[in-house]
Amino acid sequence: MLPTTAFSALLGSAAAAALLAAPTQAQTWFTDQSDAYGVGYKHVDGNFSYAMGGGAAWFDYDNDGDEDLLATNSFGRHDMFRNDGGVFTEVTVESGVELGYITDTIGVMAGDYDGDGWIDVYLTNSGANILFHNNADGSFTDVAAAEGVAGDDWSSCSAWGDWDKDGDLDLYVGNYVDSLNFPYHFGGVNRYYENQGDVVGPRFVERAAELGIDDFALFGPSISGFPYISPEGQATAGCALSICSIDWDEDGDQDILVGNDFGQWVTPNKLYRNDLDLGGGLAFTDITEETNFDERPHYNMGINGADYDHDGDWDFYKSNLGDNLLLRNDKGLFADATYTAGVASGETADGTLLVSSWSIQWADFDLDTFEDLYVSNGVIPAAPFIKNDPRAANDLYLNDGDGTFTEVADELSGAADDGAGRGVAMCDVNRDGLLDFYLMNNGAPGVGIQSDFCRLFVANPAMVDPANGFLQLRLRGTTSNWEAFGSRIDALVDGVVLKRQLLGDPVFLCSSSREVHFGLGTASEVESVQIHWPQGTFQEIVGVPRNLQLEIFEPQVLMSGLQPTEFDGANKVVRFKVDLASVAAGDEAYGVLLQVRFGEGGPIVHQASAGGVLGGGGSTTQTFEVPVTPSIIAAITGQGFEFDVRAYVVAGTAVDSRRNVDPIP
C-alpha cells in the first residue's frame, strides 16, 4: 500500500518511500518486459471493429494497492492479469470478463460509477456496450442494460467525469459511424449518461441531445478535387474516436473535447465548454470556432492535454492520419505549433507514405519537469490518397524545455515497435518512480503480423539523470467522487508551477493508471502541492520531500488560513494563528502541528502541536504563543531575517497545510 500523508511521511527525516532503481547497462529508454511479467497478449480484430481496437486498462480491481491489467479483444476473450507486488497472474475466467468470443470491443475505461470504493469497467463495442460492475470479490458482472448504458451503437471511446458536480460519475460515450459512406460517413451521435445515484430502475439517464453535446452536424458541400459526392444538408454526427474531459479553462468544471475521424469530410473536432459555473444548471456551449480548436480538420484519432511549455495553460496534441497537430494555447486561442516544436510525425522519411498515429501520451519520462511525448503509430487500411506506412515505428519525443522537442532515434527508444500500434496505457508497474506503458497492437489480417503481440515497455533508469527526482500522488475523494476525477493538481517546484489534472478519459481507447506523476528535476522538495477537488475543496500540502509515492485524501477539516505572524513586544511573545473550518456533516477530531524556521528553508527552531474537535460546518482559530527567550534570540542571529512558518492540520487520514514567510521586525 502507498504511505498516506501522515506527519511521518511528510515531515520525517527518513528515506523516501521509493527511490530510483540502480542504473543498468541497457542503452535504450525502454525495454520490452512482456514475457518477464507474463502479460504478452495477442489482439484479434473483430468483424465490425475494422482494425480500430484495442484498448487496455490499468486499475486496482482487488484493492490491494497495486495496478492490475485488463487487455481487451475484438474477436476473442478479454484477458485479466492480477498484479501481486509485481507478479502477474492471468485470472480471466474467475474474474468473469471473458464474455465469449465475439464482442467487437474497441475501447475500455475504468471508473467507480457507484462510489462503493471498487473500480468498475466500461467497454465500448460495435453493438451493445458492457458495464462490468466490480463485485468486490475478484469478479465482475455486466450490468450495462440494467443501468441504462448498453446502447446499440458503434461505440469507440468513453469517459467518466463528474460534469454536474454532484459527487458521482457520469458517462460520455463517443460513437463512430452509423452508416458507411466513404469518406462522407454518417456518424453516430454521442451519448451523455447522467448518473442519478441510487434510484429504482436504471441509474443513468441519457441527455446528450438535450444538452447539445451529441456532436450532431449537417454535411457541407463536396470537397473539390476528389471524386466523392457529399450528401450536402443531410444530418450526420462526428465520427468520434477520442474524448478529453479536461477543465481546459480552469473555471472549476470539466469540459468535453471530442476528436473526430474524417473531420474535413463529416464534421471536425469539438470543444464544448461546461457553463455549470454560470449558475444556470448544467449547460454546454460549443466554442470550437472561437478558440481555433479545430484549426486544421483532419482524421483525428487521439487528443491529450498538457502544459508542455510551462506557461500556465493547457495545450493539446492530436494524432492523425498524416501530420499530427500540436495546439499551443495562447490565452484561450489555439495556434498550430506542430512544425516549430518538431512533432509532426506525419509521413515516411522519403515522403511516399503517410503515417497513421493513434494514442498519444504526455509523460515526464526523464524527470526534468517538462512533459515528453510518446506516439503510437500503426497502419490502417485506407484509400490510395491516404495510403499509410504498413510498418511505421512509434515515436518518442523528449521535451527540450524551450518549446521544441528532440525525437529519440528508434534504436535508442526501445519502444519504437513497428506493429499496428493502437492504444497505450501508462503505469509505473515496478514502482521505481518512472512511467512504463502497455502498448496494444492490432491483430487484424492485413494489418498486423503474427509477431505483433501487445507489449509492456518498462522504463530504463540508466537513461535518466540520477539527480532528478519524482513525486507520485494517488487521490481519494470523500465529498467528491472516490477516484477524484476532475481534480486539478498544481505542484510548485523551484518557483515553477507544474500542472496536472486527474481525468477518467481515454487518450485513445485506453485507461491509464490514475496516479498523478511529476518529474521534479534536481529540486530537493516540492514547495507546495495544491489540489482543487471536484466539489470545490482547496487543499495544500507544503514542503513535500522528493521521491515519494503518497495517497492523499480529500480533507473534511480545512486550514482556511494561516494568519500573518504577530510580534508582541510588550509581552515578549510571538503569536501564530491557524484558522480551521469543517466541511464535515458531524464532529471531526483534528490535530495541528506548527513548525517555525528562521530563514526560508532554514533550521526548525520551534515546533508545537495542539488538537481538538470541530463540529460539522464549524470554524475555529488555533493560537500558538512562543516566548521570545535568549535562546530564540541566539537562534535568530546569523540565520536570516524572516520566519518560515508551516502549519499542518490532520483529521482522519487527510492533511491540509499552509506556509507563510514573514519578515522579522
Side-chain angles (χ1 to χ4, degrees):
M1 299 293 289
L2 295 176
T4 62
T5 50
F7 290 153
S8 59
L10 283 172
L11 307 173
S13 58
L19 297 175
L20 294 177
T24 68
Q25 298 302 310
Q27 296 302 310
T28 59
W29 281 91
F30 296 92
T31 59
D32 181 0
Q33 297 291 317
S34 311
D35 293 339
Y37 282 92
V39 294
Y41 182 70
K42 181 67 175 177
H43 176 272
V44 181
D45 204 57
N47 293 330
F48 300 103
S49 49
Y50 291 90
M52 306 299 290
W58 291 104
F59 66 108
D60 184 9
Y61 89 100
D62 53 1
N63 275 352
D64 66 349
D66 47 31
E67 307 269 357
D68 310 295
L69 176 65
L70 171 63
T72 68
N73 224 324
S74 298
F75 192 81
R77 76 176 198 176
H78 313 302
D79 270 15
M80 187 79 200
F81 299 96
R82 187 184 66 228
N83 182 356
D84 296 308
V87 177
F88 287 83
T89 303
E90 192 260 300
V91 292
T92 304
V93 175
E94 50 264 55
S95 70
V97 302
E98 77 277 11
L99 279 187
Y101 276 78
I102 305 177
T103 59
D104 273 316
T105 294
I106 300 178
V108 57
M109 187 51 47
D112 178 19
Y113 76 90
D114 57 356
D116 64 354
W118 296 84
I119 302 176
D120 314 296
V121 187
Y122 190 72
L123 304 183
T124 47
N125 303 326
S126 179
N129 296 330
I130 296 167
L131 176 56
F132 279 130
H133 176 261
N134 192 326
N135 299 321
D137 61 1
S139 70
F140 295 85
T141 301
D142 180 15
V143 296
E147 297 288 25
V149 294
D152 191 25
D153 304 300
W154 182 356
S155 298
S156 58
C157 50
S158 62
W160 296 106
D162 188 9
W163 286 278
D164 55 4
K165 298 182 68 170
D166 65 351
D168 52 28
L169 292 181
D170 311 302
L171 178 65
Y172 189 85
V173 178
N175 291 320
Y176 191 52
V177 172
D178 186 57
S179 178
L180 294 169
N181 182 45
F182 180 86
Y184 294 103
H185 296 307
F186 289 84
V189 293
N190 297 340
R191 310 292 183 185
Y192 172 76
Y193 296 103
E194 189 170 271
N195 193 333
Q196 306 297 299
D198 293 322
V199 296
V200 177
R203 176 185 296 266
F204 293 91
V205 174
E206 205 285 305
R207 297 186 60 199
E210 173 192 348
L211 294 168
I213 54 175
D214 58 353
D215 209 7
F216 174 83
L218 299 176
F219 280 111
S222 300
I223 298 176
S224 62
F226 295 92
Y228 307 107
I229 305 302
S230 169
E232 185 175 357
Q234 295 188 39
T236 184
C239 302
L241 281 179
S242 56
I243 301 163
C244 183
S245 60
I246 198 168
D247 180 8
W248 85 280
D249 52 2
E250 296 195 348
D251 63 354
D253 43 40
Q254 292 179 261
D255 307 298
I256 297 176
L257 290 66
V258 181
N260 287 323
D261 197 3
F262 295 96
Q264 62 181 337
W265 308 95
V266 182
T267 192
N269 297 343
K270 298 291 175 59
L271 171 50
Y272 295 112
R273 185 186 66 211
N274 189 340
D275 292 331
L276 182 67
D277 59 298
L278 300 181
L282 184 62
F284 293 85
T285 301
D286 183 350
I287 59 170
T288 306
E289 291 188 7
E290 67 185 72
T291 58
N292 297 326
F293 180 67
D294 200 65
E295 182 179 281
R296 172 158 50 92
H298 58 304
Y299 303 89
N300 196 103
M301 312 299 188
I303 298 177
N304 200 355
D307 181 19
Y308 80 94
D309 51 3
H310 287 185
D311 68 348
D313 51 27
W314 293 95
D315 315 294
F316 295 93
Y317 191 78
K318 304 178 182 181
S319 55
N320 182 34
L321 201 173
D323 285 354
N324 297 334
L325 178 62
L326 175 61
L327 287 179
R328 187 184 64 241
N329 188 343
D330 294 331
K331 296 181 172 59
L333 290 176
F334 293 104
D336 187 346
T338 310
Y339 304 105
T340 56
V343 291
S345 187
E347 62 183 20
T348 56
D350 60 8
T352 59
L353 293 172
L354 298 179
V355 170
S356 185
S357 298
W358 301 85
S359 189
I360 43 183
Q361 291 287 355
W362 293 105
D364 191 355
F365 294 120
D366 55 5
L367 305 184
D368 67 349
T369 76
F370 286 92
E371 289 185 271
D372 310 300
L373 190 61
Y374 181 78
V375 182
S376 73
N377 299 319
V379 67
I380 185 73
F385 73 94
I386 48 174
K387 187 176 181 180
N388 50 108
D389 188 352
R391 303 300 296 178
N394 301 332
D395 295 312
L396 174 62
Y397 297 100
L398 296 182
N399 192 329
D400 297 326
D402 59 1
T404 67
F405 293 77
T406 297
E407 183 174 0
V408 176
D410 290 353
E411 60 270 20
L412 294 179
S413 166
D417 191 90
D418 63 357
R422 294 297 187 263
V424 174
M426 307 294 296
C427 179
D428 178 9
V429 70
N430 57 1
R431 314 304 296 147
D432 65 351
L434 302 175
L435 287 177
D436 317 302
F437 57 88
Y438 196 74
L439 169 69
M440 294 293 292
N441 280 323
N442 188 278
V447 174
I449 60 177
Q450 188 61 35
S451 61
D452 286 345
F453 276 72
C454 303
R455 305 185 188 281
L456 173 62
F457 288 106
V458 175
N460 174 18
M463 301 298 286
V464 179
D465 186 337
N468 290 348
F470 67 88
L471 176 67
Q472 285 172 285
L473 308 175
R474 182 180 295 176
L475 305 189
R476 289 289 177 248
T478 52
T479 305
S480 301
N481 67 85
W482 184 72
E483 291 182 276
F485 291 166
S487 297
R488 292 189 287 117
I489 308 99
D490 294 338
L492 184 63
V493 179
D494 283 341
V496 177
V497 175
L498 309 182
K499 305 177 76 63
R500 302 288 189 271
Q501 291 195 30
L502 178 52
L503 304 176
D505 59 40
V507 176
F508 177 77
L509 311 184
C510 284
S511 186
S512 293
S513 167
R514 304 312 186 188
E515 290 187 0
V516 180
H517 178 270
F518 294 93
L520 304 181
T522 59
S524 59
E525 69 172 13
V526 179
E527 294 155 63
S528 73
V529 174
Q530 296 184 344
I531 303 172
H532 301 263
W533 292 84
Q535 293 295 95
T537 299
F538 174 78
Q539 180 181 19
E540 184 175 16
I541 303 176
V542 300
V544 181
R546 62 191 257 141
N547 297 341
L548 278 183
Q549 296 162 319
L550 301 175
E551 190 168 39
I552 298 180
F553 290 83
E554 183 178 17
Q556 297 293 290
V557 175
L558 307 175
M559 189 168 293
S560 53
L562 175 58
Q563 297 184 25
T565 304
E566 295 180 6
F567 298 91
D568 184 347
N571 295 302
K572 295 185 178 180
V573 297
V574 181
R575 293 188 184 90
F576 305 95
K577 296 182 177 180
V578 181
D579 297 325
L580 305 175
S582 171
V583 295
D587 292 348
E588 286 283 335
Y590 68 88
V592 178
L593 176 69
L594 178 78
Q595 285 186 345
V596 182
R597 304 165 186 258
F598 284 129
E600 187 171 353
I604 298 173
V605 295
H606 182 77
Q607 183 164 291
S609 61
V613 176
L614 192 57
S619 60
T620 190
T621 298
Q622 190 77 52
T623 300
F624 297 87
E625 287 193 350
V626 181
V628 180
T629 63
S631 62
I632 293 289
I633 295 174
I636 292 176
T637 305
Q639 293 294 335
F641 297 96
E642 64 259 334
F643 281 125
D644 184 345
V645 185
R646 306 181 188 190
Y648 302 81
V649 58
V650 171
T653 55
V655 177
D656 197 15
S657 61
R658 295 293 185 272
R659 178 186 184 187
N660 284 346
V661 178
D662 295 326
I664 299 173

